[in-house]
Amino acid sequence: MTGQASKKKGEASRSILRAAEELFAAKGFAAVSVRDIAQLAGVNKALVFYYYENKATLLRKVLELYYTAHAEALSPADPATSLREQVHALITSYLDFIEDNSRYIHIVQHELLANGENTGMIRDGMNLLFSRVRDLLGDMGGDGPLHVRHFFLSFSGLVVAYFTYAPVLDNIWEGDPLSASNRRERREHLHWVIDQLLSGMEAHQN
């Protein structure tokens, strides 16, 4: 295969993957056909099967790419910094991941509603995030309502809910809730909330 042919092959493969990602986010896996993906990618349907075997393979590939980026975003912070600094670094990295992968939330939501075969990958992604939080906080909050699992769910939920509901928040925000200035403000709020949660857990520990 010549270099030009290899390049074209790579471009076609990426175009198909991008089209699948866009459609899965907009409609959900079940509502998308291979014909839809081929049409949006500007290729013939046979080429989709040539590169990806079937629609399920495409979804798995999309999720794999997300969770590779997810794992990189959640890599451990500098251990020389304080616990709070490490927690804040984790939140910042998670926000960066969500902002850089805007379709991720929608694809995951569609899959969870469908209870499809790829929920295992989604569970693994959540377990990774929980492991990072647990590694940082240990048993700081003890059992009950201050257990680290509640902190984990509160923090991840606060991040995800903002991006999930953004399309219907324009009146409340009096403009685009996802504008650069509003996203910065939201980050500041999340860091403030996390500080309050950490303070409560530290007080309980003492």
Side-chain angles (χ1 to χ4, degrees):
M1 180 182 293
T2 66
Q4 188 64 26
S6 179
K7 182 179 178 182
K8 286 183 177 179
K9 179 179 178 181
E11 288 172 355
S13 176
R14 286 189 293 273
S15 293
I16 292 166
L17 196 60
R18 284 194 298 267
E21 179 191 17
E22 181 177 338
L23 290 169
F24 292 154
K27 300 180 178 182
F29 177 78
V32 175
S33 69
V34 172
R35 185 181 300 278
D36 295 331
I37 295 168
Q39 188 171 30
L40 183 60
V43 301
N44 122 8
K45 190 168 86 167
L47 207 56
V48 177
F49 290 115
Y50 174 76
Y51 288 122
Y52 292 102
E53 186 179 0
N54 54 42
K55 191 174 70 163
T57 301
L58 266 169
L59 178 59
R60 283 194 296 274
K61 183 63 177 176
V62 168
L63 288 173
E64 283 171 10
L65 291 173
Y66 279 137
Y67 284 117
T68 297
H70 200 218
E72 291 172 358
L74 301 177
S75 58
D78 182 357
T81 58
S82 69
L83 172 63
R84 284 190 181 233
E85 288 173 320
Q86 291 183 60
V87 173
H88 281 289
L90 177 63
I91 293 162
T92 296
S93 294
Y94 192 52
L95 280 161
D96 288 344
F97 167 76
I98 297 295
E99 288 188 13
D100 291 343
N101 298 277
S102 58
R103 295 184 176 123
Y104 162 76
I105 292 173
H106 304 295
I107 292 176
V108 165
Q109 287 171 336
H110 282 303
E111 278 301 293
L112 292 177
L113 285 172
N115 195 25
E117 63 183 50
N118 291 293
T119 53
M121 288 189 70
I122 297 166
R123 182 179 290 108
D124 290 345
M126 294 300 286
N127 286 341
L128 172 64
L129 181 53
F130 176 63
S131 294
R132 284 288 298 113
V133 174
R134 186 181 55 198
D135 289 346
L136 284 173
L137 301 183
D139 59 356
M140 179 191 289
D143 294 324
L146 294 184
H147 192 282
V148 67
R149 62 174 168 261
H150 292 295
F151 179 92
F152 156 72
L153 190 58
S154 295
F155 129 63
S156 59
L158 285 166
V159 172
V160 170
Y162 175 59
F163 293 93
T164 299
Y165 289 108
V168 294
L169 295 177
D170 51 325
N171 288 339
I172 299 172
W173 253 253
E174 299 179 347
D176 179 10
L178 293 180
S179 69
S181 60
N182 281 330
R183 283 187 282 113
R184 281 195 300 272
E185 182 179 272
R186 180 63 182 171
R187 283 183 180 235
E188 290 174 14
H189 174 77
L190 288 177
H191 283 286
W192 176 84
V193 169
I194 293 304
D195 275 336
Q196 308 316 303
L197 291 173
L198 287 172
S199 293
M201 294 169 75
E202 287 166 349
H204 177 78
Q205 189 178 40
N206 296 328

